[in-house]
């Protein structure tokens, strides 16, 4: 800490309850009242340095002795007045970064200028403030934080702006040129010598982001202005700006990383004025942090953006701030995790906010359509000179190729992310079928290399929503492409009674087609299905063969234990298929004309599945009695 001692006389203040006086042989002739405290003082030392007290004394009518002056709105309170009074008496006073703002405001209030007396208090404070306080890193931060008690005074006197400029200049300067204060340092707390000065090896901050933790102590208003000044210098990398914002948010915002809908009620109970005030404060803080986010992609992690979005949902921030977070998450969605998308809903309609995830996916798809903005390639001196049009065409081709490859890779990552997200939200009883389908259909068909994860999500949704009628189950399963199911998924689906019968026929068809390919057995279709229905040993052998080629964890593989013999279900399947066709003929599906392209493979199977099985049953000798 940098200190300045003013004055040298040994006179001291004597305090008796609310009355304070100066030890002196001369009787008091001047009483000053400050916020309930009375000071028995003398006119000459005070009036000789304060123009304000001179004018107040001149306005007092009569010649009462002692004269009484009241200062009800004195900035800084009794501590600041005592400092100014001691200076007038020549008593030693100590200035530091903790009290310099109060002393400066008090001296300005009393008008202790150079016009009244040379070397007055305002001049001395300004010299100390400029030459010492602003030169120290920590002293500048402490002084800036203390301006919160006197916002208008500090703004008018330029204290706030000068502290912010000092802090920003030190952040933008090389770390070796920054002088830490003598009072405190997070990095050198245990290495301060007895005389108050730090060892030289602790006087140099860390090279990257050393400043973020220190300025996180500031209130949001001062922090916002300081970060604006730092960003305007355009010398600090955007990722360091993002790290600083993450540190500040983790310090001042409530923990909303867990997706619990009742966290907002735990943090801010209903009908509690104090909680409402805190929520308003946090809302303002969150909106300020969002406005400071760097514009560069990747400067802030997707995890941090997701936490801000979760907090925005619970604190009900402005729609513009929320959409800014949605846009940023959509730009770098390939870096997100499933937990990042599990955003708690602020309403009781559902557990998670699915609508905001749909908007995020729309933003992701939209930004992939934008043209690439890569810097032009620098030509080598040995390259053959070509026409400008040929060079531009080659450059555009390479850029399109590079952009297409990156976009395809991003889509593949996001497709796996979305299928995992669907499995999580499928457990929500209140999740509507339309929202589930909107999420699933947001991914292009080519971006899903396999449909195993999608089938898992559909299976979970069917189990958690047993009240779905037949048309809704068909509508749900139309997004499933049976050609892209693995052998394990096919075997599970073949025994899944929740699936529509037509999907079951597709599964049987493509399951056996894959099995025949794996076993290198090229046979016609009826023999394939004949083998599937008539030989359990072949199915077991084919299933084990495919299981060896899948490197998925045990927990992620489909359970095929307890499979029932296909023969035992032939009669039941034949009966249900007949009922299904009869119902479809009488009640055509309203969505039949809008089938997804993913279900066009269904055309490979005859319109009436029972005809296929009639041929199979006639060839294998299976009758209804079986």
């Amino acid at each position: 800490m940098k200190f300045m001692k003013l004055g040298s006389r040994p006179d001291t203040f004597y305090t008796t309850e609310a009355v304070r006086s100066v030890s002196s042989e001369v009787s008091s002739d001047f009483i000053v009242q400050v916020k309930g405290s009375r000071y028995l003082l003398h006119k000459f030392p005070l009036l000789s340095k304060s123009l304000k007290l001179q004018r107040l004394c001149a306005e007092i009518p009569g010649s009462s002795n002692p004269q009484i002056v009241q200062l009800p709105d004195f900035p800084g309170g009794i501590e600041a007045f005592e400092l100014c009074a001691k200076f007038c008496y020549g008593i030693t006073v100590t200035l530091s970064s903790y009290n310099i703002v109060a002393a400066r405001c008090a001296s300005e209030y009393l008008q202790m200028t150079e016009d009244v007396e040379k070397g007055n208090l305002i001049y001395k404070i300004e010299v100390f403030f400029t030459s010492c306080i602003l030169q120290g890193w920590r002293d500048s931060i402490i002084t800036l934080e203390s301006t919160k008690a006197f916002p208008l005074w500090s703004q008018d006197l330029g204290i706030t702006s000068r502290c912010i400029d000092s802090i920003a200049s030190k952040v933008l300067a090389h770390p070796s040129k920054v002088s830490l204060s003598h009072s405190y340092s997070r990095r050198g707390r245990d290495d301060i010598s007895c005389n108050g000065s730090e060892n030289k090896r602790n006087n140099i901050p860390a090279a990257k982001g050393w400043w973020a933790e220190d300025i996180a102590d500031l209130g949001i208003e001062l922090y916002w202005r300081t970060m604006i000044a730092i960003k305007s210098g355009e010398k600090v990398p955007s990722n360091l700006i993002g790290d600083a914002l993450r540190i500040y948010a983790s310090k001042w915002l409530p923990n909303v990383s867990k997706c619990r809908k009742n966290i907002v009620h735990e943090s801010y109970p209903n009908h509690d004025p104090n909680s409402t005030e805190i929520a308003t404060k946090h809302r303002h803080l969150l909106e300020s942090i969002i406005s400071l986010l760097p514009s560069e992609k990747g400067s802030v992690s997707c995890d941090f953006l997701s936490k801000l979005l979760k907090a925005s949902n619970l604190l009900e921030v402005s729609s513009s701030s929320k959409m800014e977070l949605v846009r940023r998450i959509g730009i770098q969605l390939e870096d997100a995790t499933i937990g990042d998308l599990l955003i708690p809903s602020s309403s009781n309609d559902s557990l998670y906010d699915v609508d905001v995830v749909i908007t995020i996916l729309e933003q992701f798809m939209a930004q992939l359509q934008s043209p690439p903005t890569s810097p032009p390639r620098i030509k080598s001196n040995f390259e053959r000179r070509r026409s400008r049009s040929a060079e531009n065409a080659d450059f555009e081709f390479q850029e399109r190729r590079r952009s297409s490859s990156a976009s395809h890779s991003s889509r593949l990552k996001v497709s796996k992310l979305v299928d995992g997200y669907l499995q999580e939200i499928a457990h929500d009883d209140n999740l509507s079928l339309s929202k589930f389908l909107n999420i699933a259909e947001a991914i292009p068909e080519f971006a899903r290399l396999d449909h195993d994860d999608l089938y898992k999500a559909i299976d979970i949704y069917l189990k958690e929503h047993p009240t779905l009628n037949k048309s809704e189950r068909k509508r749900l399963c139309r997004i499933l492409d049976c050609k892209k199911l693995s052998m394990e998924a096919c075997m599970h689906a073949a025994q899944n009674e929740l699936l529509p019968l037509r999907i079951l026929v597709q599964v049987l068809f493509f399951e056996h087609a894959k099995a025949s390919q794996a076993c290198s057995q090229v046979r016609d279709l009826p023999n394939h299905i004949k083998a599937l229905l008539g030989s359990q040993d072949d199915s077991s052998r084919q299933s084990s063969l495919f299981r060896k080629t899948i490197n998925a964890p045990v927990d992620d593989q489909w359970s095929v234990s307890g499979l029932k013999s296909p023969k035992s279900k032939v009669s039941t399947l034949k009966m249900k298929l007949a009922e299904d066709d009869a119902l479809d003929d009488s009640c055509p599906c309203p969505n039949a004309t809008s089938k997804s392209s993913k279900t066009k493979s269904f055309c490979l199977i005859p319109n009436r599945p029972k005809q296929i099985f009639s041929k199979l049953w006639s060839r294998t000798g299976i009758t209804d009695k079986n």
Side-chain angles (χ1 to χ4, degrees):
M1 179 68 61
K2 296 178 175 64
F3 300 96
M4 182 180 75
K5 294 185 177 181
L6 305 176
S8 58
R9 292 179 55 185
D11 302 58
T12 58
F13 270 86
Y14 282 88
T15 304
T16 305
E17 295 181 355
V19 180
R20 292 170 170 82
S21 61
V22 178
S23 174
S24 176
E25 296 178 356
V26 181
S27 60
S28 301
D29 59 351
F30 192 52
I31 298 177
V32 180
Q33 187 168 342
V34 180
K35 295 183 184 280
S37 297
R38 303 184 67 186
Y39 292 88
L40 306 180
L41 305 173
H42 304 84
K43 286 185 180 180
F44 176 74
L46 293 177
L47 272 58
S48 63
K49 291 182 171 60
S50 173
L51 183 60
K52 174 81 171 180
L53 294 178
Q54 291 180 17
R55 293 174 177 174
L56 289 177
C57 288
E59 294 173 359
I60 296 176
S63 57
S64 59
N65 194 15
Q67 287 185 315
I68 301 176
V69 174
Q70 295 185 357
L71 305 176
D73 56 346
F74 192 85
I78 59 177
E79 292 83 3
F81 178 79
E82 288 183 6
L83 188 147
C84 295
K86 288 178 180 179
F87 176 81
C88 293
Y89 278 94
I91 302 174
T92 302
V93 295
T94 302
L95 293 178
S96 69
S97 57
Y98 290 97
N99 66 353
I100 190 171
V101 176
R104 179 65 181 87
C105 296
S107 62
E108 186 70 22
Y109 179 89
L110 294 175
Q111 299 178 5
M112 303 175 70
T113 63
E114 293 295 287
D115 296 337
V116 181
E117 183 178 87
K118 294 296 182 181
N120 213 340
L121 184 57
I122 291 179
Y123 171 77
K124 292 183 179 295
I125 291 178
E126 283 293 332
V127 171
F128 177 66
F129 179 68
T130 304
S131 61
C132 296
I133 296 296
L134 295 181
Q135 302 306 313
W137 164 256
R138 187 62 187 173
D139 291 314
S140 299
I141 294 177
I142 295 174
T143 303
L144 179 61
E145 180 67 14
S146 63
T147 60
K148 290 193 306 182
F150 319 98
L152 298 179
W153 282 94
S154 301
Q155 188 65 32
D156 294 340
L157 297 175
I159 300 175
T160 304
S161 58
R162 284 185 286 174
C163 286
I164 291 175
D165 293 341
S166 173
I167 295 170
S169 64
K170 291 174 175 59
V171 172
L172 299 175
H174 192 275
S176 62
K177 298 180 180 179
V178 178
S179 173
L180 300 179
S181 67
H182 291 283
S183 61
Y184 175 84
S185 172
R186 283 188 173 89
R187 292 156 298 278
R189 185 182 303 180
D190 298 329
D191 297 295
I192 300 178
S193 59
C194 296
N195 59 3
S197 61
E198 294 176 316
N199 295 336
K200 291 183 178 180
R201 64 185 179 90
N202 294 309
N203 201 35
I204 300 178
K208 294 182 179 180
W210 60 270
W211 46 273
E213 248 186 86
D214 288 334
I215 66 173
D217 293 335
L218 298 173
I220 185 57
E221 301 292 345
L222 298 174
Y223 182 84
W224 189 87
R225 293 180 58 181
T226 303
M227 289 299 296
I228 289 295
I230 293 173
K231 291 177 66 177
S232 63
E234 298 182 352
K235 291 184 179 181
V236 179
S238 59
N239 63 318
L240 294 184
I241 298 291
D243 287 341
L245 294 175
R246 178 185 54 81
I247 291 172
Y248 190 83
S250 63
K251 181 180 179 67
W252 293 101
L253 280 176
N255 182 18
V256 292
S257 58
K258 295 183 179 180
C259 298
R260 292 160 46 216
K261 185 165 59 177
N262 60 342
I263 188 173
V264 67
H265 303 295
E266 293 178 1
S267 301
Y268 318 107
N270 294 332
H271 310 296
D272 189 347
N274 294 331
S275 298
T276 303
E277 182 180 353
I278 295 175
T280 303
K281 177 182 177 181
H282 285 159
R283 187 181 302 113
H284 173 64
L285 186 147
L286 182 56
E287 291 176 350
S288 300
I289 292 176
I290 295 172
S291 67
L292 291 172
L293 291 173
S295 58
E296 292 80 3
K297 178 181 178 181
S299 58
V300 181
S301 67
C302 204
D303 173 68
F304 177 51
L305 292 173
S306 173
K307 289 180 179 179
L308 292 180
L309 183 57
K310 293 173 183 178
S312 301
N313 238 24
L314 298 180
L315 294 173
E316 299 179 354
V317 301
S318 63
S319 58
S320 59
S321 298
K322 187 175 179 179
M323 284 305 301
E324 177 65 15
L325 291 174
V326 169
R327 184 186 69 83
R328 290 176 178 273
I329 295 176
I331 290 176
Q332 54 191 83
L333 185 58
E334 65 269 19
D335 300 327
T337 63
I338 296 175
D340 294 337
L341 299 183
L342 295 176
I343 301 168
S345 175
S346 57
S347 64
N348 295 324
D349 297 337
S350 59
L351 185 61
Y352 302 111
D353 192 339
V354 179
D355 294 329
V356 73
V357 176
I358 295 175
T359 308
I360 290 174
L361 287 172
E362 292 174 353
Q363 292 289 330
F364 170 75
M365 293 301 175
Q367 63 97 15
L368 290 180
Q369 305 301 325
S370 59
T373 56
S374 301
R377 181 173 56 89
I378 300 177
K379 296 191 300 179
S380 171
N381 294 331
F382 300 98
E383 286 190 78
R384 185 176 55 186
R385 297 180 59 86
R386 297 185 298 172
S387 64
R388 184 175 299 274
S389 59
E391 291 179 351
N392 291 338
D394 180 66
F395 173 72
E396 292 176 1
F397 173 77
Q398 295 295 335
E399 286 298 301
R400 284 196 301 269
R401 185 175 181 181
R402 185 160 44 247
S403 175
S404 176
S405 177
S407 300
H408 184 65
S409 176
S410 298
R411 286 190 178 98
L412 293 180
K413 293 180 181 179
V414 171
S415 68
K416 300 294 291 184
L417 174 68
V418 169
D419 289 346
Y421 173 75
L422 287 171
Q423 296 176 36
E424 293 292 333
I425 65 174
H427 293 281
D428 185 4
D429 297 337
N430 297 324
L431 179 64
S432 65
L433 177 61
S434 59
K435 289 186 178 182
F436 184 91
L437 291 175
N438 286 339
I439 293 288
E441 294 173 349
I443 302 299
E445 180 182 0
F446 66 87
R448 281 192 177 99
L449 299 182
D450 66 80
H451 278 216
D452 281 16
D453 290 336
L454 181 60
Y455 171 67
K456 290 181 184 179
I458 292 175
D459 182 53
I460 295 173
Y461 191 86
L462 289 173
K463 291 177 180 177
E464 297 292 336
H465 300 78
T467 59
L468 291 177
N469 57 39
K470 184 177 180 180
S471 62
E472 289 174 333
R473 287 189 290 115
K474 286 185 176 181
R475 180 185 170 196
L476 173 64
C477 293
R478 284 197 186 103
I479 62 177
L480 191 64
D481 189 349
C482 297
K483 296 193 303 293
K484 294 184 178 182
L485 292 177
S486 66
M487 191 64 177
E488 279 72 18
C490 284
M491 294 189 68
H492 185 280
Q495 308 302 321
N496 194 341
E497 298 179 354
L498 298 176
L499 295 177
L501 294 177
R502 292 184 181 275
I503 296 297
L504 177 60
V505 174
Q506 289 190 55
V507 170
L508 293 173
F509 181 91
F510 292 113
E511 176 189 12
H512 224 49
K514 291 180 180 180
S516 62
Q517 278 187 345
C519 298
S520 300
Q521 298 173 351
V522 182
R523 301 176 183 177
D524 55 352
L525 176 61
N527 288 335
H528 293 170
I529 303 181
K530 172 184 174 181
L532 175 65
L533 296 176
S535 175
Q536 297 184 46
D537 296 336
D538 290 344
S539 298
S540 301
R541 182 172 62 256
Q542 294 155 8
S543 176
S544 62
L545 177 62
F546 268 81
R547 194 174 292 110
K548 293 179 181 179
T549 63
I550 297 178
N551 296 324
V554 177
D555 295 339
D556 294 338
Q557 296 181 6
W558 295 103
S559 174
V560 294
S561 61
L563 290 178
K564 299 179 180 180
S565 173
K567 287 185 178 181
S568 64
K569 291 193 172 183
V570 170
S571 299
T572 305
L573 180 60
K574 181 179 179 181
M575 186 184 305
K576 288 185 177 181
L577 284 172
E579 295 175 356
D580 183 76
D581 286 337
L583 182 61
D584 287 346
D585 291 340
S586 60
C587 300
C589 180
N591 296 328
T593 59
S594 60
K595 288 185 178 181
S596 173
S597 60
K598 299 178 181 181
T599 62
K600 291 182 179 179
S601 60
F602 188 78
C603 297
L604 296 175
I605 300 178
N607 293 331
R608 296 186 178 275
K610 63 181 181 180
Q611 296 176 2
I612 239 183
F613 282 92
S614 298
K615 294 180 180 179
L616 295 173
W617 295 323
S618 63
R619 293 190 182 187
T620 56
I622 300 175
T623 63
D624 293 344
K625 295 180 180 181
N626 293 332

